[in-house]
Amino acid sequence: MSGIGIVIFGVAGLLFGWFVYSKFIAEKIYRLDPDFQTPAHELNDGIDYVPTNKYVLWGHHFTSVAGAAPIVGPAIAVYWGWVPAVLWVTFGTIFFAGVHDMGALWASTRNKGKSIGALSENVIGKRTRSLFLIVIFLLLLMVNAVFGVVIATGFVGTPGSVFPAWMAIVVALIIGQLLRRNYSLMILTAAGVAILYLSIWAGTFIELSLPETMFGLTASANWIIILFVYAAIASMLPVWMLLQPRDFINGMQLIVGLILLYGAVFLSMPEMVAPAFNGQTAEGTPSMFPLLFVTIACGAISGFHGIVASGTSSKQLDKETDARFVGYLGAIGEGSLALITIVAVCSVAYAANTEQWHAVYAQFSDGGAPAFVAGGAALISGAWGMSEGFAQVLLATMVALFAGTTMDSGVRLQRYIIQEWGDIYGIKVFRSGMVATCVAVLACLLLAFGAGGSSGAGGMIIWPLFGATNQILASLTLLVITVMLIKMGRPAYYTLLPMIFVLITSFLAGLIQLVAFYEQGNYLLVALDFIVLVVSVLVMLEAASVVSKFRKEGAKSADQA
């Protein structure tokens, strides 16, 4: 089958999601109100709460939630075959991710920009809030520690990506200042993207690298430290100064990248060489059900999106109706990236034939970002006539910039969580932005170097927990939204049914992993996995109790009337 058929199927589905389904959810279920005063206006402080143009905010939200996950997950999951991957990405984006992301943004906006963990107290109860925040902090710890490794590995493996990655920060700082002076967004966008691509071209000649060993650490470990120092500084700056313009420019850069990739599919019409359903899996390969639904998270549905939507994006929403554009369209952007990743790693651009594909994908863990960079670069160079070296630097920079923006937002979100703990438990010192940031970064570095030694790759030790934990958090976020809808007397099936499906698949995946960790003798992961599973059960029981009590009170009031 030609990759163009997959693209047409996926894009048609995403268009239906945007023009039909998202409009229905926004108008009939969430009932977004253009006159509602958002936290960005009510609590405007010029640092975290800042009313923002919806296009700029979309760029921030999209690049923060995307990271490398919509590339890595699908590029690994295709081992089971490209058909299940394509179906989950397409239908997951339409009926799960978009509803989840827009819903988290709406729910937080209705509760003064509180994080999904903090607002769970308003919706369900105090005990739920404490349990929620444990899962959220653990997930952020994983994301930040691991993405530091991902970026550092990319810098070491592709030195040409270093210059454009840091140049993007300089460009963003300049654009942030000019936007405050009311310069045209369109002109700044064009100039920013042009400079960014010129820097990518320059990166093919300017290869920057650290010494193999410095201060007794490897180049990768030193990059990890540098990245966390940068993330700490970036997380304390006003959002308009760096976070917004950097994410927006990165979003525009991705759109150009997607145009190149999708255009390459239409120009070259590559044949799919990977099997539709893989019947030659290696011994010990995990079952496709339920693992497919946690392997592909970003690109279908992801709990991390709810943290970003309720953490940073809700504090910048200019109008409540912008939640559809920012949240649902952000999910569609990520789904489109996941879709083209599947084509890139399963087509003739990546492997000459089916036998060669099986040789490359010898086991379940094969693939990932390197496969996307290799397959995507071959696709672009073959269709557009670019050199393959430039195309590889372009895609490697895209991965690094995405991971970097997610890391920026992740550290800021960790700071929010710690400050919320300060408010909740009366720990005054944690209310300080600087102290909370230092605690967040030190926690990440402690995991990176405490568990990983001098390599700084300690985050990888607990990363196997990410898939199930992330999706359990997505189900809990949908649970909070569902309870809100029930209390408001609105239809809740559109969030309840996705919540049930995601909870079942992610809980089963967590149980499967629990057994695997025990058999491997990895008792740290056994303990953490067990905690996450118990927390999810307790939150569900709390929510069921609240809904039952609410319905009984409603029925009693109706009888008295």
Side-chain angles (χ1 to χ4, degrees):
M1 180 177 178
S2 173
I4 199 169
I6 295 172
V7 167
I8 291 173
F9 169 80
V11 170
L14 298 181
L15 289 174
F16 164 80
W18 171 245
F19 287 105
V20 180
Y21 196 66
S22 73
K23 187 176 181 181
F24 166 74
I25 296 295
E27 294 179 355
K28 304 299 182 182
I29 308 303
Y30 298 144
R31 301 176 190 175
L32 303 181
D33 182 1
D35 297 322
F36 179 80
Q37 186 181 38
T38 65
H41 289 281
E42 182 183 358
L43 305 173
N44 190 343
D45 62 4
I47 299 176
D48 297 317
Y49 292 85
V50 179
T52 304
N53 178 291
K54 69 178 182 180
Y55 298 102
V56 175
L57 183 55
W58 175 86
H60 155 69
H61 180 81
F62 173 40
T63 55
S64 292
V65 301
I71 294 171
V72 175
I76 292 176
V78 293
Y79 185 72
W80 288 301
W82 58 260
V83 167
V86 168
L87 292 176
W88 175 227
V89 164
T90 304
F91 292 111
T93 298
I94 298 169
F95 299 109
F96 291 73
V99 174
H100 170 277
D101 294 14
M102 177 168 50
L105 191 50
W106 164 73
S108 178
T109 301
R110 286 279 165 164
N111 289 272
K112 298 186 181 297
K114 288 184 178 180
S115 71
I116 196 69
L119 71 85
S120 65
E121 176 185 0
N122 297 8
V123 179
I124 301 175
K126 287 185 178 180
R127 285 177 294 188
T128 301
R129 174 199 64 194
S130 300
L131 296 170
F132 234 117
L133 291 177
I134 291 172
V135 177
I136 291 173
F137 189 82
L138 178 62
L139 192 69
L140 287 171
L141 195 62
M142 290 185 207
V143 170
N144 291 334
V146 170
F147 275 29
V149 176
V150 169
I151 301 169
T153 302
F155 282 171
V156 173
T158 312
S161 65
V162 175
F163 176 75
W166 290 103
M167 189 64 186
I169 297 171
V170 177
V171 172
L173 286 169
I174 295 171
I175 288 178
Q177 295 295 330
L178 294 178
L179 281 174
R180 296 286 285 187
R181 290 164 172 76
N182 297 318
Y183 280 75
S184 167
L185 176 62
M186 186 176 295
I187 293 174
L188 291 178
T189 299
V193 171
I195 293 171
L196 183 58
Y197 273 89
L198 280 173
S199 70
I200 293 174
W201 173 77
T204 60
F205 304 100
I206 306 172
E207 295 190 346
L208 303 177
S209 58
L210 296 177
E212 290 186 11
T213 304
M214 187 170 66
F215 306 121
L217 299 174
T218 64
S220 179
N222 279 302
W223 274 126
I224 290 172
I225 294 173
I226 292 170
L227 287 165
F228 272 111
V229 171
Y230 156 74
I233 296 170
S235 70
M236 290 187 288
L237 294 176
V239 290
W240 61 264
M241 187 177 292
L242 177 59
L243 189 70
Q244 289 177 353
R246 180 183 174 183
D247 291 357
F248 179 69
I249 290 298
N250 286 345
M252 296 304 102
Q253 181 256 155
L254 175 72
I255 289 176
V256 175
L258 287 175
I259 291 172
L260 291 174
L261 286 165
Y262 276 92
V265 172
F266 282 93
L267 289 173
S268 61
M269 292 185 286
E271 289 294 318
M272 301 294 281
V273 296
F277 294 92
N278 190 3
Q280 300 181 32
T281 56
E283 186 177 350
T285 298
S287 170
M288 182 174 72
F289 183 89
L291 272 300
L292 170 70
F293 303 101
V294 299
T295 302
I296 299 179
C298 297
I301 182 172
S302 167
F304 181 70
H305 294 199
I307 303 176
V308 175
S310 65
T312 57
S313 300
S314 64
K315 295 175 176 61
Q316 303 170 58
L317 201 68
D318 183 34
K319 296 180 180 179
E320 189 177 76
T321 47
D322 291 347
R324 175 177 173 238
F325 187 90
V326 175
Y328 200 98
L329 194 60
I332 285 181
E334 194 172 60
S336 66
L337 178 58
L339 186 68
I340 201 64
T341 295
I342 294 170
V343 175
V345 301
C346 291
S347 71
V348 69
Y350 183 59
N353 50 54
T354 303
E355 290 72 24
Q356 190 180 58
W357 189 89
H358 278 297
V360 176
Y361 271 85
Q363 57 187 4
F364 174 69
S365 58
D366 292 332
F372 167 75
V373 171
L379 197 62
I380 290 173
S381 63
W384 296 100
M386 297 181 187
S387 71
E388 193 160 339
F390 173 77
Q392 286 182 346
V393 171
L394 187 153
L395 295 180
T397 302
M398 181 190 297
V399 173
L401 290 176
F402 263 30
T405 53
T406 300
M407 193 174 169
D408 285 3
S409 296
V411 172
R412 186 179 289 262
L413 289 165
Q414 267 190 300
R415 188 246 291 174
Y416 291 163
I417 295 295
I418 293 167
Q419 287 180 302
E420 285 179 354
W421 281 342
D423 290 332
I424 292 167
Y425 301 111
I427 307 173
K428 291 183 179 180
V429 69
F430 278 2
R431 296 174 185 173
S432 165
M434 184 171 293
V435 172
T437 299
C438 289
V439 172
V441 170
L442 287 174
C444 294
L445 290 174
L446 182 62
L447 172 61
F449 290 94
S454 61
S455 69
M460 294 298 183
I461 294 174
I462 65 171
W463 185 248
L465 281 174
F466 175 78
T469 303
N470 186 45
Q471 298 303 68
I472 284 174
L473 180 58
S475 68
L476 297 182
T477 300
L478 285 170
L479 173 65
V480 171
I481 298 168
T482 300
V483 175
M484 275 188 65
L485 290 171
I486 291 172
K487 286 186 171 183
M488 298 170 80
R490 299 180 186 178
Y493 294 107
Y494 302 95
T495 55
L496 177 63
L497 295 179
M499 183 271 286
I500 293 172
F501 179 83
V502 175
L503 177 65
I504 290 173
T505 54
S506 56
F507 196 84
L508 288 175
L511 288 175
I512 291 170
Q513 288 181 320
L514 186 68
V515 174
F517 295 150
Y518 180 78
E519 292 175 346
Q520 295 165 10
N522 195 331
Y523 299 115
L524 171 63
L525 294 186
V526 169
L528 292 174
D529 196 356
F530 181 75
I531 290 171
V532 171
L533 292 175
V534 170
V535 165
S536 65
V537 171
L538 292 175
V539 171
M540 289 293 164
L541 291 175
E542 285 282 331
S545 174
V546 169
V547 171
S548 176
K549 182 179 178 181
F550 179 78
R551 284 181 169 172
K552 286 179 181 178
E553 290 177 352
K556 186 177 180 180
S557 299
D559 291 339
Q560 291 175 346

